[in-house]
Amino acid sequence: MVNLESILPGINGKDERCWEQLYTSCYAAMCVYVESIVKDMDCAKDIVQDYLAKFWVTKPYKTLKSGLDKYIFQAVKFSAITYLKEARRKEDSCQSFSREVMSEEDTIQLEEQVDIIKVVYQMIDLLPAERRQVFMMVFVDGMSYQEVAERLEISKNTVKTQLARALKFLRKEMKDNDIPFLFIFLVKK
């Protein structure tokens, strides 16, 4: 490795030969050093290349009197740390966006189900009053046929008949409206 202190005056004078010596003597070591931080040699090479280009353009070396080797290694270390922070921030943003998109999809799906349930209730409202009452008592309130029969003071067979007619009507209405018949069971609380 070249003594960097000896080429510092040439670097300050933008002597291309000194810059080439800096590059050839430090590039590989800086890449290995940065790779130990970022754990990816391609990223390490990019970070070192970017730093050396920035170093040439911004001219921070103009104020250096000694310690060029320490300065450039410290600088690429900070560049690597900045890269990791930025990568972590981008990853967090992507995860946050993914969660947001997922919750939007869930919301859309829930809204679709709510709309279907509203349509199902509208169809239930089309049933004759007694049939609707039997249907609601069985499917929404969870009552047995016998409990419905006792409460309405009708026979158990009448409950079964009214329920069968209600289900037949709802199947037909749902088929006509392209709603899967299984959605009727979403009516339950």
Side-chain angles (χ1 to χ4, degrees):
M1 189 166 173
V2 172
N3 179 0
L4 296 181
E5 301 306 318
S6 66
I7 62 170
L8 184 57
I11 290 174
N12 282 333
K14 290 237 183 206
D15 181 347
E16 287 185 26
R17 197 174 36 124
C18 290
W19 276 96
E20 189 177 313
Q21 286 179 331
L22 171 68
Y23 185 85
T24 56
S25 65
C26 294
Y27 178 75
M30 289 176 15
C31 287
V32 170
Y33 179 62
V34 171
E35 194 270 338
S36 71
I37 297 169
V38 298
K39 309 296 186 222
D40 182 345
M41 184 54 86
D42 290 332
C43 287
K45 288 177 181 178
D46 290 343
I47 291 167
V48 171
Q49 286 279 355
D50 289 345
Y51 173 72
L52 288 174
K54 181 180 171 185
F55 186 71
W56 173 267
V57 172
T58 60
K59 304 176 178 114
Y61 50 84
K62 290 282 188 190
T63 59
L64 287 177
K65 302 295 180 216
S66 64
L68 180 61
D69 55 343
K70 292 176 187 169
Y71 178 84
I72 61 174
F73 277 88
Q74 189 71 19
V76 293
K77 175 184 173 184
F78 287 129
S79 294
I81 291 170
T82 301
Y83 166 82
L84 291 174
K85 285 179 182 176
E86 189 67 23
R88 189 175 309 124
R89 187 189 59 76
K90 285 179 183 176
E91 185 178 323
D92 290 347
S93 294
C94 286
Q95 288 176 354
S96 174
F97 179 74
S98 295
R99 285 190 299 270
E100 192 173 302
V101 168
M102 294 288 276
S103 65
E104 286 178 19
E105 290 172 358
D106 293 343
T107 302
I108 290 169
Q109 186 178 19
L110 182 62
E111 288 172 356
E112 289 172 355
Q113 288 179 350
V114 167
D115 290 343
I116 290 173
I117 291 171
K118 285 179 183 177
V119 171
V120 169
Y121 269 107
Q122 289 171 350
M123 289 177 190
I124 291 170
D125 287 341
L126 296 175
L127 292 168
E130 186 178 329
R131 205 170 287 163
R132 181 176 53 244
Q133 187 177 16
V134 168
F135 179 86
M136 296 297 279
M137 291 173 89
V138 171
F139 283 102
V140 176
D141 299 336
M143 297 173 72
S144 69
Y145 295 164
Q146 187 62 42
E147 291 171 327
V148 173
E150 289 171 4
R151 180 167 287 162
L152 297 178
E153 298 177 356
I154 56 177
S155 74
K156 187 175 175 182
N157 284 336
T158 303
V159 171
K160 289 180 184 179
T161 301
Q162 291 290 0
L163 195 56
R165 289 178 181 165
L167 291 172
K168 182 178 178 182
F169 171 80
L170 291 172
R171 269 191 216 105
K172 181 186 179 315
E173 286 296 313
M174 288 183 189
K175 183 178 178 186
D176 291 346
N177 289 297
D178 292 326
I179 298 173
F181 184 67
L182 293 176
F183 271 104
I184 201 163
F185 297 106
L186 290 175
V187 172
K188 283 188 168 183
K189 290 183 179 177

